[in-house]
Amino acid sequence: MAIPDTGVRAGLLSKRTLVVASHAVEQAALAGERHEPVIVLALFQRLPYFQREAEVYRRIAALASVTVVGMVSDARPDLPLGVTPVLLRPEEDLAREWSVVVLTPTFGASVVAIDLEELDPDGATLEASRLFRGRWGFRREEAYAEAVRLRDALGDRVPPDVRRRFESVLNSVVDPPSGEVERRAEAVVRHLATRLVDARDATGHAVSGAGEEARDALDPWTGLHTLDSVNAWLGRQVADTVRIGLVVIRVPGLSSFPDVHGPSAAVHTENNIADVLRVHLRPVDRAARLNGDEFVLVLPGSSPLATQAVADRVLDALRGLHNTYPHLPVTAEVRVRHTRDRPIDVGELGTRRAPVTPERPYTLSGTFAEEEWASFISL
């Protein structure tokens, strides 16, 4: 997949570009004349994303005629005064949308993007790696069309009084827009977005909202990622927008190899296992050692079938490793999980145990429930 060009206003967009464009649209809402009626609509996908911007929306709500925000949340959110919430269902299309729309009688700006649930393999963290398809711009006609679309999509989930004020602003949009001003504004934002994202890539520091800086530390013995490195890459974000495939590999007795077979054989075996794990990784994946006997593959954006296929390939490769070195008892137990649950502490995965059930070698689960894990003993 080609990584998006930050100078493009439509098409494949990175989260970093959307953050910069969204902040520009929000600042445009704050810069307007106080007497001019303003509609501000924003879809945040999940509540934690809004909480980062709550202060900005408190200021926007103090100026705007209508400020509506939508998000998936299983609890009533605590929002600033004047912000009207719409709680979205996780399965509806709007739950995947990142949108910010600002509309006045004379001005319009919008960011509208759909979460592809795909990742940039070069992203610093899981959150910063997210990719979207959409567009942004400072064009009143586009903002008007998006405002109408969202009005219709949200329907009666918006209170009657808010809908009346919404319609009043829509009806006030009568004069033709200034195309020259719009083109100049977009040119400025494209330039700034490109410079800001380039600066972030050059320094390793994230643009505000894009996630934490990754610490890509590697274990010196195996070359696999450390637990701290993987947990930092996953980030502290608790939103469940990115699905995660997890494959836990246990090699019983590996921690006792130095005592039983000697340190040289132990290092040799550990590196052979690490090579088996690495060969099946995409650039966006991570492999880490959990403890003396266990390893984990973290597969962001992986489907249940793809996650199971990786587990199958790993087991086949470990079987081949055992056949190559029959004097070293390399057996393997593999457990598979596919989830959107947050937060994920990768280090805890190695403490999970479940009975052996050959009839159900894999359980693809959305929870950490002990009974929903299954083991598969190979070799």
Side-chain angles (χ1 to χ4, degrees), residues 216-230:
D216 219 21
L218 301 178
D219 171 49
W221 292 103
T222 64
L224 299 178
H225 284 83
T226 65
L227 284 180
D228 286 345
S229 174
V230 172

Side-chain angles (χ1 to χ4, degrees), residues 195-260:
R195 294 293 296 272
L196 286 171
V197 174
D198 287 349
R200 184 263 181 208
D201 291 338
T203 64
H205 295 290
V207 175
S208 176
E212 301 175 10
E213 181 182 354
R215 297 183 295 276
D216 219 21
L218 301 178
D219 171 49
W221 292 103
T222 64
L224 299 178
H225 284 83
T226 65
L227 284 180
D228 286 345
S229 174
V230 172
N231 281 326
W233 179 78
L234 286 170
R236 297 174 183 170
Q237 178 56 255
V238 296
D240 58 357
T241 50
V242 180
R243 62 178 182 259
I244 304 288
L246 298 163
V247 180
V248 180
I249 303 98
R250 181 170 181 260
V251 180
L254 183 61
S255 57
S256 63
F257 262 46
D259 295 332
V260 177

Side-chain angles (χ1 to χ4, degrees), residues 271-326:
N271 277 278
N272 283 336
I273 293 171
D275 286 341
V276 165
L277 301 184
R278 272 192 296 264
V279 76
H280 299 292
L281 294 184
R282 303 166 301 169
V284 74
D285 298 333
R286 296 292 186 271
R289 191 167 191 171
L290 292 171
N291 52 53
D293 292 340
E294 293 178 309
F295 305 83
V296 64
L297 300 180
V298 183
L299 314 173
S302 177
S303 69
L305 288 178
T307 303
Q308 181 172 339
V310 170
D312 287 338
R313 291 196 299 268
V314 167
L315 282 174
D316 286 344
L318 289 175
R319 182 178 293 110
L321 184 62
H322 177 74
N323 294 336
T324 303
Y325 303 98

Side-chain angles (χ1 to χ4, degrees), residues 32-347:
E33 297 290 340
R34 287 183 174 270
H35 66 272
E36 189 175 42
V38 183
I39 291 172
V40 179
L41 294 154
L43 298 184
F44 279 89
Q45 295 193 287
R46 301 296 188 271
L47 179 60
Y49 299 136
F50 174 80
Q51 290 172 330
R52 294 180 175 184
E53 310 296 336
E55 173 58 23
V56 171
Y57 278 80
R58 182 194 65 77
R59 294 164 55 201
I60 288 174
L63 299 173
S65 308
V66 172
T67 305
V68 176
V69 300
M71 67 200 75
V72 174
S73 178
D74 55 7
R76 184 187 295 271
D78 182 15
L79 302 182
L81 181 66
V83 175
T84 300
V86 175
L87 298 186
L88 306 175
R89 300 180 300 276
E91 68 275 8
E92 67 178 299
D93 291 342
L94 292 178
R96 295 178 55 209
E97 184 171 328
W98 171 331
S99 297
V100 183
V101 178
V102 174
L103 180 68
T104 80
T106 59
F107 173 81
S110 59
V111 175
V112 177
I114 301 298
D115 190 345
L116 295 177
E117 299 191 7
E118 297 176 5
L119 302 175
D120 173 0
D122 296 323
T125 67
L126 185 148
E127 272 296 318
S129 304
R130 296 168 61 205
L131 295 174
F132 299 76
R133 186 166 299 280
R135 67 179 180 274
W136 60 267
F138 285 74
R139 304 188 185 188
R140 196 193 63 183
E141 298 310 309
E142 286 184 0
Y144 184 94
E146 295 300 342
V148 170
R149 178 183 65 86
L150 289 173
R151 176 202 63 185
D152 295 344
L154 297 175
D156 59 8
R157 287 184 283 183
V158 177
D161 180 60
V162 175
R163 292 205 304 269
R164 284 192 292 271
R165 284 182 275 136
F166 197 113
E167 292 295 337
S168 176
V169 177
L170 288 178
N171 292 335
S172 70
V173 181
V174 293
D175 295 329
S178 173
E180 180 65 19
V181 172
E182 292 176 340
R183 286 190 294 273
R184 289 179 182 272
E186 283 182 1
V188 170
V189 175
R190 278 199 301 271
H191 174 73
L192 289 175
T194 302
R195 294 293 296 272
L196 286 171
V197 174
D198 287 349
R200 184 263 181 208
D201 291 338
T203 64
H205 295 290
V207 175
S208 176
E212 301 175 10
E213 181 182 354
R215 297 183 295 276
D216 219 21
L218 301 178
D219 171 49
W221 292 103
T222 64
L224 299 178
H225 284 83
T226 65
L227 284 180
D228 286 345
S229 174
V230 172
N231 281 326
W233 179 78
L234 286 170
R236 297 174 183 170
Q237 178 56 255
V238 296
D240 58 357
T241 50
V242 180
R243 62 178 182 259
I244 304 288
L246 298 163
V247 180
V248 180
I249 303 98
R250 181 170 181 260
V251 180
L254 183 61
S255 57
S256 63
F257 262 46
D259 295 332
V260 177
H261 303 286
S264 178
V267 171
H268 181 71
T269 302
E270 290 171 355
N271 277 278
N272 283 336
I273 293 171
D275 286 341
V276 165
L277 301 184
R278 272 192 296 264
V279 76
H280 299 292
L281 294 184
R282 303 166 301 169
V284 74
D285 298 333
R286 296 292 186 271
R289 191 167 191 171
L290 292 171
N291 52 53
D293 292 340
E294 293 178 309
F295 305 83
V296 64
L297 300 180
V298 183
L299 314 173
S302 177
S303 69
L305 288 178
T307 303
Q308 181 172 339
V310 170
D312 287 338
R313 291 196 299 268
V314 167
L315 282 174
D316 286 344
L318 289 175
R319 182 178 293 110
L321 184 62
H322 177 74
N323 294 336
T324 303
Y325 303 98
H327 59 288
L328 296 176
V330 180
T331 61
E333 171 187 333
V334 172
R335 287 170 288 139
V336 177
R337 183 182 171 221
H338 186 261
T339 184
R340 290 181 183 272
D341 288 355
R342 300 294 191 273
I344 296 175
D345 185 345
V346 176

